[in-house]
Amino acid sequence: MPSAVAPQRRSRENSSGEEDSQISDAGGSSIKRARINLNGDARRTSQSPVLPSGYRPNGSDAMQQETLRAGRSKSKHQPGSIVRVKLANFVTYTAVEFLPGPSLNMVIGPNGTGKSTLVCAICLGLGWGPQHLGRAKDVSEYVKHGEQEATIEIELAGDPKRHRRNPVIKCNIKRENNKSTFSIDGKPSNKKAVIELCKSFTIQIDNLCQFLPQDKVVEFAAMTPVELLRSTQRAVAPQEMLDMHDELKEHRQKQRSIQAKAQADQDALENLENRQRMQADDVQRMRDREVIKERVRLMEASRPFPAYRAAKKSFVEAKKTKKEAMDELDKLKNDVEPSMRVLNTKEEYQRQIEAATNAKRKAVADAEKTADNIDRKLQSLLGRKGELEAEVEAEKNSARETRKDITRTQGTIVALKRRIDEEQPNLDISGYNERIRGKQKANDEAGQKVLDLKRQLIDIGSRGQGKKERIVQAQKDLENLESQAGQRENKLRQASQDTFKAWEWIKKHQDEFEKPVFGPPMVECSVADPRYVDQIETLLQRGQMLMITCQTKNDFKKLGDILHDRLHLAEINMQHMTGTLADFPPPIERDQLGRYGLTGWALDYITGPEPVMAMLCANVRLERTGVGDHDTTSEQFELLQNGPIENWVTRRSSYKIVRRREYGPSATSTNVRDVRRAQVWTNQPIDMGAKRDLQENIEGWTGEITELKSEAATAQKEIEELRNTIREAAEEIRDLQTEKAGKQKLLSELRALPTKLAQQVEKLATAQQSISELRQRLAQIKEKQDQLTQERAETAIEYVGAVETLQARHLEVYEAEIMLIEANSDLATLAEKNAAQKELLVLKGREVEHLDKEVARLRNAATHLLQKVKEVMALVSEQEDTALDDHIKGLSEEQTSEQLEEEIESEKARLELMHEGNDRGVIKEFESREKRIVTLRTNLEGLKEDLEQAGERIQGIRERWEPELDRLVGLISRSFGENMKEIGCAGEVGVSKEDDFENWSIKILVKFRETEPLTALDSHRQSGGERAVSTIFYLMSLQSLTRSPFRVVDEINQGMDPRNERLVHRRMVGIACGGDGLLRDSAAENHHEVNGVNGVERSFDSVTVGNGDGADVFGDGGEGGGGKGVPQSQYFLITPKLLPSLTYARGMRVLCIASGEYMPEVSDKVDFRGCVDLARGLRREVAVR
């Protein structure tokens, strides 16, 4: 189902880490050391036990003495191993610090507490990406919910030859931009430098043989034998071995490429030679045909030569005919020359008369144009006369108005002088101002009193409103005490104030959302049958009981923004739910639950809105969780464990089956929790004490409201009296201000009289000056009128002269036209007399013109053919076509174009009788094939030499690589066989060698039963548990050969049965920690019964990692696998469960992840030594009894 869950926001205190724990000897003395928390302060651990001292074990216990001896010798971390891992806001951890030992480290704890988080931190903190974990794709998803930044700090053991102190790598992960930043020893660095540092220690996080996270177990199991060989070489062989393997693969590929090319060339050579033999006769016949085609080509190319000779001959003959015609034309012209001379003279006279007539006509047009221009000028002068007359009239009107202004101004001056001579009134401005200030001060004091009284009223109103709200809330609480819904809302308020405030706001603003928003199941849902209320509440966690359900993404985003940003509520749980109950079908029908001892599904016993129920199904799987009213019997448990139901709850316990498919169908574990008493959906009696308190509060607040009303009425009455006083004072102030303003205005006018008088005097002078200037302008206009009259007279005289000239020009035109008529008549008479001679002359001229065109045409044709001849000769010269050159030289001078065409047609007829085909292509292909045959023979000789060189290179590298590979695999095989022999099985490891080095692979053979032979390890023959055993033994077989400073395996034991798991564990301890110092918990030796429930899972918020160094099973005894002085790799084994009676060694360390709802704020309050000693004491007492 599509869903989005808003993370719950809550604050946590930083948990503190510890390096060692308190160790007490047999005499009661103690050795203490400081615990260092994340804030840097150190404090001593408490020696007080978690139970009374009577439960503590006897100090003379032999196991405790062994523990003391183990604790005194500390092994050292080899270079590159992990000394410390510190996390902050990473996945499930707010703050934690791990201190692993130098050899085997077992990380144990219930599911979901953060064991695999340590694996993620090692991978990301050392610079590798999340793709090597198989979980989230983005590093930002590893930041703890509600936080913006996570920190990983890893301290690696330094190499004394290269480092003065241990390198410390720090990684900061930002949620906002999905980026990681690194530092080395406190100095900023980058991811590449961190990985280079890790590679200098031969750390290979990307090698599943050395780093096997939980989510990569399936990928390792699916690894092909070829991939396993490469991973094995990376884990135990030097880089030179990998390089040689890559070179062998590369050279083998090149060798095969050369072989394939040589074979292809040999096949091509044989094919080409066969084809040459088959086409030899056909090619000869085609070559004969080519000879005829060549002859045709030569004749066709020589076509322009006979054609040019014929064209040249025709041109010469036409040129001769043209000359004869021209001679005849000249003779005819001489014969008619006298008559034509007279005619030509008359034509010349006619042309001269015609030209003179046209000139006279143009003179008439020019005279007309001149007369028109003078007429237009005369009309313009008449217009200017009218304009001057209008200006004179305007000046006279202006003079009349100016004289009127002079008369008015003189009267105003007389009146102003009279007012100036009158007596000035007296005005006391300061007296008026003093009286106004007195009135205003009294008015301001009354206004301040009104403001004080209003503030008092506001305060009284606010206090009264607060009392009323308290009364309303108390009445509502009183009603809620008597209703079931009200009781649930009170429980919601007690459980989470933020969620209660959010639900109250949602109820008031439901109309602002696209679809209804539902409150927490605590208030929206109920359990119909009270017998099952404990079971139902046990299935739901606190966050799920407080979950608010939205039906659309927009409502989800909008409500989240309002609650977080506007209302500033932190502890809010929200989910967007679009599914319905139809999307959550049960695995089986309800009527089949009886055989499992169950009465129904959890969904059957809880009621509420469908979206809320769908949300609970999506998160809690109510539709797949069975409910029973009796405890589960052994037979029912067996059925449930092998059936489709994974969760069920009975009267006293809740069960959850965890199946690990990657380890086989039998890899299961069961988590069991106690059923807790219901706290929400219960019917409780009314709290009479709370009811009585609410009633008393309501009565008290009601009395206080009455007193506040009386105070408000008194204050309101005082305000009204003061307002009347203020209004009266304001009216008196306005009267004084009006009287003062009137007198001030009169005084201002009197003071302004001299200025006004001066202005009027100046105005009178300006008007008189204007009259004087007016007379001057009239005189100027009169002068312009006189000049205009004189100019009009001159223009009229000029117009009379132009008209007389026009008349003279007209007379001249008439005379010229009469002479032109006479000339045209004489010319027509002479032309009629000489028409026959002239026609003969025209005909002969036309004949000459025609012959001229024919000569030009023949000249062009001959020139065109000559160009073609030149082109052919140029082509012969350019292409050095000797055949065509010889053919042209052998042409006969007498051969015509028709004869040449007959020869061409004859040769083409011979070609048609022969076979027609792509002769040129076949011959060209034959010749090209011959060249390819020569080239292929040369190439084959070179490829033969290349093959010999490639074989020598492969043999040289193989002689160095293969024996070393066989030696390493042999060591692995011996170790693997010994490991399998320890558990009563057999196994060996070998190298499957193919001709292609790409296909060389690791072949693992195993035998788990005496009656069967050794068979290859795969997913078909062996069970999940057998594959898990083989995988862990193979990894352990690499331990003594490994080049990596540490190895990580996450939950590899999940698919094993108890027997194999115990044997594998003992073997692992022996290999990782050495054969010396093996210990076994003696109290556990007597415990042979294995509970069918493998573990208990609890989902809590605070997590503390404790390093149990207080007992031998959690101690650093021995030399960490160095019993024989040989350093061993650091080993991390992550598992959620441990069987009893397991073997431990002094060199191993167990990291216990302790978590729970009620973890102490400071982790050093958890006394792991006390817990271990207490457990041993209890077991010893049981053994004694």
Side-chain angles (χ1 to χ4, degrees):
M1 292 303 299
S3 63
V5 181
Q8 180 176 351
R9 304 183 180 182
R10 61 181 67 191
S11 60
R12 295 184 180 176
E13 297 293 335
N14 289 341
S15 61
S16 61
E18 56 182 279
E19 183 178 1
D20 296 304
S21 61
Q22 173 182 326
I23 302 177
S24 299
D25 59 13
S29 62
S30 64
I31 303 172
K32 295 184 179 179
R33 55 105 192 141
R35 298 174 182 261
I36 303 174
N37 62 18
L38 294 181
N39 296 324
D41 58 342
R43 55 173 72 98
R44 293 290 185 180
T45 58
S46 173
Q47 286 184 281
S48 60
V50 294
L51 291 179
S53 58
Y55 289 94
R56 293 179 63 79
N58 190 347
S60 61
D61 185 87
M63 184 68 73
Q64 189 169 1
Q65 296 293 334
E66 181 66 24
T67 299
L68 294 176
R69 290 193 297 272
R72 294 190 186 102
S73 66
K74 300 291 182 177
S75 60
K76 295 182 179 179
H77 291 76
Q78 66 165 307
S81 61
I82 297 176
V83 177
R84 177 175 58 86
V85 179
K86 184 177 180 181
L87 309 177
N89 297 325
F90 186 76
V91 190
T92 58
Y93 294 112
T94 299
V96 69
E97 187 173 27
F98 296 88
L99 302 169
S103 55
L104 179 60
N105 292 273
M106 297 192 66
V107 183
I108 62 174
N111 286 328
T113 53
K115 300 182 300 302
S116 297
T117 300
L118 173 61
V119 180
C120 298
I122 293 174
C123 176
L124 299 180
L126 294 181
W128 272 265
Q131 68 273 14
H132 300 292
L133 297 171
R135 293 195 171 190
K137 296 182 179 179
D138 298 327
V139 292
S140 60
E141 298 184 36
Y142 290 88
V143 180
K144 190 176 185 294
H145 285 305
E147 303 294 339
Q148 296 302 316
E149 180 178 359
T151 302
I152 305 171
E153 184 177 302
I154 300 178
E155 180 181 350
L156 301 177
D159 186 351
K161 299 178 181 179
R162 294 184 296 152
H163 306 97
R164 289 185 295 178
R165 59 179 182 179
N166 292 341
V168 177
I169 301 172
K170 188 173 183 180
C171 172
N172 291 324
I173 302 174
K174 301 284 187 180
R175 180 189 296 275
E176 181 178 359
N177 54 8
N178 191 32
K179 296 292 183 182
S180 300
T181 58
F182 294 87
S183 65
I184 300 176
D185 293 332
K187 298 179 181 179
S189 185
N190 53 41
K191 185 175 182 179
K192 182 178 180 181
V194 172
I195 293 180
E196 289 298 327
L197 175 62
C198 294
K199 287 183 177 180
S200 69
F201 289 112
T202 65
I203 295 174
Q204 300 175 5
I205 298 297
D206 54 347
N207 189 349
L208 295 181
C209 287
Q210 294 188 2
F211 190 86
L212 188 59
Q214 177 182 354
D215 294 284
K216 289 286 186 175
V217 172
V218 177
E219 183 177 332
F220 182 84
M223 187 182 294
T224 64
V226 174
E227 295 170 339
L228 185 59
L229 173 61
R230 180 166 183 82
S231 297
T232 301
Q233 287 188 93
R234 290 184 61 200
V236 301
Q239 183 62 34
E240 184 182 0
M241 290 281 290
L242 287 171
D243 296 340
M244 285 191 291
H245 192 188
D246 291 338
E247 289 179 9
L248 285 172
K249 290 188 286 187
E250 181 181 357
H251 289 319
R252 177 67 78 189
Q253 185 177 3
K254 290 181 179 178
Q255 185 186 45
R256 293 197 169 186
S257 176
I258 295 172
Q259 290 174 344
K261 182 171 178 54
Q263 184 61 42
D265 288 352
Q266 182 64 38
D267 295 341
L269 177 61
E270 294 175 357
N271 182 38
L272 292 176
E273 290 176 343
N274 291 332
R275 293 177 64 184
Q276 288 294 86
R277 287 191 296 270
M278 293 173 62
Q279 287 187 345
D281 295 338
D282 293 338
V283 168
Q284 183 60 42
R285 180 178 54 80
M286 291 177 184
R287 283 175 175 170
D288 294 339
R289 191 172 187 274
E290 285 297 317
V291 172
I292 298 175
K293 288 175 67 177
E294 176 66 10
R295 189 179 302 116
V296 171
R297 181 185 73 82
L298 295 176
M299 288 189 293
E300 288 178 343
S302 62
R303 276 172 175 166
F305 290 90
Y308 169 70
R309 286 196 297 269
K312 183 178 180 181
K313 182 178 180 181
S314 298
F315 168 72
V316 172
E317 292 177 353
K319 188 175 179 181
K320 181 179 179 182
T321 304
K322 173 187 172 183
K323 186 177 183 306
E324 293 174 353
M326 290 181 66
D327 292 342
E328 292 178 359
L329 178 62
D330 292 339
K331 183 176 180 302
L332 183 60
K333 286 181 179 180
N334 293 329
D335 294 340
V336 299
E337 194 270 335
S339 301
M340 293 302 299
R341 187 182 305 117
V342 175
L343 179 62
N344 292 337
T345 302
K346 184 57 71 174
E347 287 179 350
E348 179 65 21
Y349 174 74
Q350 187 268 343
R351 284 195 294 271
Q352 291 176 356
I353 294 299
E354 186 177 7
T357 302
N358 291 334
K360 297 296 183 181
R361 289 171 181 169
K362 185 176 183 302
V364 169
D366 292 341
E368 289 177 350
K369 184 176 181 181
T370 301
D372 291 339
N373 291 336
I374 295 172
D375 181 61
R376 283 194 293 272
K377 181 179 179 182
L378 187 60
Q379 295 300 324
S380 174
L381 293 174
L382 290 174
R384 289 183 60 190
K385 176 184 176 184
E387 293 175 358
L388 291 174
E389 291 174 352
E391 290 181 8
V392 170
E393 185 63 27
E395 293 293 343
K396 289 180 179 179
N397 293 335
S398 176
R400 286 193 290 270
E401 292 296 327
T402 302
R403 291 188 182 94
K404 291 179 182 179
D405 289 343
I406 291 172
T407 302
R408 287 193 295 269
T409 303
Q410 289 173 345
T412 302
I413 291 172
V414 172
L416 289 173
K417 289 180 178 180
R418 187 167 50 251
R419 289 191 65 184
I420 291 172
D421 294 338
E422 294 176 357
E423 183 179 358
Q424 302 294 329
N426 185 20
L427 176 62
D428 186 8
I429 299 298
S430 60
Y432 277 103
N433 291 339
E434 186 65 28
R435 291 166 62 189
I436 291 172
R437 280 196 295 270
K439 296 292 184 181
Q440 188 65 43
K441 182 177 180 183
N443 201 12
D444 292 343
E445 291 176 353
Q448 185 62 42
K449 290 181 180 179
V450 170
L451 291 177
D452 293 341
L453 290 172
K454 284 185 177 180
R455 293 191 188 97
Q456 183 177 351
L457 281 176
I458 293 172
D459 181 63
I460 292 172
S462 176
R463 289 158 57 194
Q465 183 64 30
K467 302 294 182 183
K468 288 180 181 179
E469 291 177 356
R470 291 183 183 180
I471 291 173
V472 172
Q473 185 62 42
Q475 290 173 344
K476 185 177 179 181
D477 294 343
L478 195 60
E479 294 174 0
N480 289 341
L481 286 175
E482 299 176 357
S483 67
Q484 189 176 22
Q487 291 179 8
R488 290 179 185 170
E489 290 191 356
N490 287 334
K491 292 178 181 178
L492 176 61
R493 182 190 301 168
Q494 296 171 5
S496 173
Q497 282 288 341
D498 287 354
T499 305
F500 177 77
K501 292 177 182 178
W503 176 230
E504 289 295 312
W505 187 93
I506 292 170
K507 289 190 294 183
K508 296 176 182 178
H509 301 83
Q510 281 284 9
D511 56 342
E512 299 181 12
F513 299 101
E514 296 176 357
K515 290 186 177 182
V517 177
F518 296 96
M522 184 178 290
V523 297
E524 294 280 11
C525 301
S526 61
V527 178
D529 194 338
R531 294 179 301 169
Y532 299 100
V533 67
D534 292 344
Q535 291 95 315
I536 299 302
E537 284 199 21
T538 298
L539 296 175
L540 303 181
Q541 300 297 325
R542 182 175 180 273
Q544 295 157 354
M545 292 288 283
L546 300 177
M547 188 76 69
I548 296 172
T549 304
C550 300
Q551 299 188 70
T552 68
K553 289 184 178 180
N554 292 335
D555 290 347
F556 178 82
K557 184 178 183 302
K558 179 179 181 180
L559 183 59
D561 294 341
I562 291 172
L563 298 182
H564 293 150
D565 300 337
R566 188 193 303 176
L567 302 181
H568 304 292
L569 302 178
E571 190 182 12
I572 297 297
N573 297 277
M574 295 169 51
Q575 182 162 341
H576 163 224
M577 193 68 210
T578 58
T580 63
L581 288 178
D583 299 322
F584 301 95
I588 60 175
E589 297 297 332
R590 183 176 180 180
D591 54 7
Q592 300 179 22
L593 294 176
R595 61 192 295 263
Y596 298 102
L598 305 175
T599 60
W601 301 109
L603 184 62
D604 301 333
Y605 298 102
I606 184 171
T607 59
E610 184 172 357
V612 179
M613 301 295 291
M615 179 274 294
L616 292 176
C617 289
N619 288 280
V620 190
R621 305 178 70 183
L622 295 178
E623 84 288 355
R624 304 179 67 88
T625 302
V627 177
D629 52 3
H630 295 88
D631 293 338
T632 302
T633 64
S634 300
E635 294 79 6
Q636 293 170 348
F637 181 84
E638 184 68 24
L639 287 174
L640 288 165
Q641 196 173 28
N642 298 319
I645 302 175
E646 297 180 352
N647 302 282
W648 74 93
V649 59
T650 63
R651 180 182 301 174
R652 292 186 294 183
S653 300
S654 171
Y655 300 85
K656 179 179 180 181
I657 295 178
V658 179
R659 293 185 173 92
R660 302 299 296 272
R661 304 295 183 188
E662 62 271 23
Y663 298 116
S666 61
T668 62
S669 63
T670 305
N671 302 320
V672 184
R673 293 188 297 173
D674 294 335
V675 172
R676 62 175 183 269
R677 293 297 299 270
Q679 300 293 328
V680 178
W681 293 315
T682 58
N683 294 324
Q684 297 179 353
I686 298 175
D687 188 349
M688 297 307 296
K691 181 177 181 180
R692 185 165 50 255
D693 291 341
L694 289 173
Q695 291 173 343
E696 291 177 356
N697 289 337
I698 290 172
E699 293 176 359
W701 292 332
T702 303
E704 293 178 5
I705 289 174
T706 302
E707 294 177 359
L708 291 174
K709 287 181 178 179
S710 176
E711 293 180 10
T714 301
Q716 189 64 40
K717 183 177 180 182
E718 293 181 10
I719 289 173
E720 291 298 327
E721 293 175 354
L722 290 171
R723 283 176 176 171
N724 293 332
T725 302
I726 291 171
R727 281 194 292 270
E728 293 173 358
E731 291 177 359
E732 293 178 1
I733 291 172
R734 280 196 298 272
D735 293 341
L736 289 171
Q737 289 176 341
T738 302
E739 182 178 353
K740 173 187 171 184
K743 291 185 177 183
Q744 283 180 331
K745 181 179 180 182
L746 178 60
L747 183 61
S748 298
E749 291 177 353
L750 292 174
R751 291 175 178 173
L753 287 177
T755 303
K756 290 183 177 180
L757 178 60
Q759 292 175 348
Q760 292 298 320
V761 171
E762 184 179 357
K763 181 179 180 182
L764 178 62
T766 302
Q768 292 173 346
Q769 179 68 26
S770 177
I771 291 296
S772 175
E773 294 174 353
L774 178 62
R775 294 191 185 98
Q776 295 177 1
R777 288 198 297 274
L778 286 173
Q780 293 174 354
I781 294 173
K782 179 64 175 173
E783 183 179 355
K784 290 181 180 179
Q785 286 177 333
D786 294 342
Q787 292 177 355
L788 182 62
T789 301
Q790 182 180 357
E791 187 176 355
R792 284 179 60 203
E794 294 174 353
T795 304
I797 295 171
E798 184 180 359
Y799 181 71
V800 172
V803 171
E804 291 176 353
T805 302
L806 179 61
Q807 290 175 350
R809 296 292 181 270
H810 275 292
L811 290 176
E812 293 176 356
V813 168
Y814 297 152
E815 293 176 356
E817 288 179 349
I818 291 171
M819 293 176 68
L820 179 61
I821 292 171
E822 292 175 352
N824 288 335
S825 177
D826 294 341
L827 181 62
T829 302
L830 287 175
E832 184 177 358
K833 291 180 179 180
N834 297 296
Q837 295 179 354
K838 187 174 182 180
E839 183 179 0
L840 181 61
L841 187 63
V842 169
L843 291 175
K844 183 55 71 173
R846 289 176 180 175
E847 181 183 356
V848 171
E849 184 179 354
H850 173 72
L851 290 173
D852 185 62
K853 290 180 179 179
E854 180 66 16
V855 169
R857 183 185 68 79
L858 292 174
R859 181 190 295 110
N860 292 335
T863 303
H864 177 69
L865 291 172
L866 178 61
Q867 183 64 31
K868 287 188 175 181
V869 169
K870 291 179 179 180
E871 289 177 358
V872 172
M873 297 306 296
L875 184 64
V876 170
S877 175
E878 179 182 350
Q879 296 183 356
E880 296 181 357
D881 193 345
T882 56
L884 181 59
D885 187 29
D886 295 340
H887 178 75
I888 292 172
K889 291 178 179 178
L891 288 176
S892 173
E893 294 289 335
E894 302 298 329
Q895 188 181 30
T896 64
S897 297
E898 290 76 9
Q899 293 173 346
L900 180 62
E901 292 297 330
E902 289 177 359
E903 292 182 10
I904 291 173
E905 292 298 327
S906 175
E907 293 296 330
K908 285 185 176 180
R910 292 180 62 191
L911 281 177
E912 290 178 357
L913 295 176
M914 300 179 71
H915 175 71
E916 183 178 1
N918 187 11
D919 299 344
R920 185 178 299 276
V922 172
I923 296 173
K924 185 176 181 180
E925 180 183 356
F926 185 85
E927 295 172 349
S928 175
R929 192 183 299 121
E930 187 66 31
K931 294 178 181 178
R932 289 180 59 193
I933 290 173
V934 176
T935 302
L936 286 175
R937 287 171 179 167
T938 304
N939 291 343
L940 283 172
E941 293 296 329
L943 291 174
K944 183 177 180 181
E945 295 178 1
D946 293 341
L947 278 175
E948 292 177 355
Q949 294 175 2
E952 292 174 357
R953 286 193 294 267
I954 292 174
Q955 186 63 27
I957 298 173
R958 183 171 182 174
E959 288 175 355
R960 292 184 290 127
W961 174 72
E962 185 176 5
E964 182 63 20
L965 178 64
D966 291 338
R967 186 187 68 80
L968 290 174
V969 175
L971 295 174
I972 296 171
S973 179
R974 284 195 295 273
S975 177
F976 182 74
E978 293 174 0
N979 292 335
M980 295 293 288
K981 184 177 181 181
E982 286 289 327
I983 63 172
C985 302
E988 64 181 36
V989 180
V991 179
S992 177
K993 302 178 181 180
E994 302 288 342
D995 183 60
D996 191 350
F997 292 102
E998 290 277 358
N999 298 326
W1000 281 44
S1001 61
I1002 287 291
K1003 187 175 183 181
I1004 302 177
L1005 302 176
V1006 293
K1007 181 176 72 172
F1008 286 91
R1009 299 164 189 83
E1010 294 183 359
T1011 58
E1012 65 182 14
L1014 287 169
T1015 56
L1017 178 66
D1018 57 29
S1019 59
H1020 303 291
R1021 293 187 179 92
Q1022 290 81 23
S1023 66
E1026 291 170 344
R1027 290 198 303 274
V1029 171
S1030 303
T1031 298
I1032 191 62
F1033 275 167
Y1034 183 80
L1035 294 179
M1036 289 191 300
S1037 300
L1038 306 179
Q1039 181 73 7
S1040 60
L1041 304 175
T1042 184
R1043 296 169 49 80
S1044 178
F1046 65 85
R1047 187 187 307 278
V1048 176
V1049 179
D1050 192 356
E1051 297 193 18
I1052 193 65
N1053 60 333
Q1054 291 302 298
M1056 303 181 191
D1057 57 30
R1059 174 182 174 276
N1060 284 340
E1061 184 175 353
R1062 185 173 288 105
L1063 293 173
V1064 168
H1065 178 81
R1066 178 180 178 85
R1067 188 62 180 161
M1068 185 185 301
V1069 171
I1071 291 175
C1073 301
D1076 298 334
L1078 292 180
L1079 304 175
R1080 183 184 293 270
D1081 192 331
S1082 60
E1085 291 288 351
N1086 298 323
H1087 184 74
H1088 302 291
E1089 215 174 288
V1090 179
N1091 195 334
V1093 181
N1094 294 330
V1096 179
E1097 178 184 16
R1098 298 185 184 274
S1099 300
F1100 301 125
D1101 293 321
S1102 58
V1103 177
T1104 302
V1105 174
N1107 180 12
D1109 284 345
D1112 57 309
V1113 290
F1114 303 116
D1116 277 337
E1119 292 297 324
K1124 296 181 181 181
V1126 179
Q1128 295 287 333
S1129 293
Q1130 192 179 37
Y1131 214 108
F1132 289 88
L1133 176 64
I1134 288 85
T1135 178
K1137 63 185 179 69
L1138 286 178
L1139 297 174
S1141 304
L1142 293 179
T1143 300
Y1144 297 91
R1146 288 191 296 269
M1148 66 181 292
R1149 178 173 294 183
V1150 179
L1151 303 176
C1152 304
I1153 301 183
S1155 64
E1157 279 185 324
Y1158 306 104
M1159 292 300 295
E1161 295 182 355
V1162 182
S1163 63
D1164 56 13
K1165 292 184 179 180
V1166 181
D1167 190 354
F1168 286 97
R1169 170 184 170 74
C1171 294
V1172 174
D1173 290 344
L1174 174 61
R1176 287 186 174 155
L1178 293 175
R1179 289 181 179 179
R1180 191 165 41 252
E1181 291 182 5
V1182 172
V1184 171
R1185 295 176 184 175

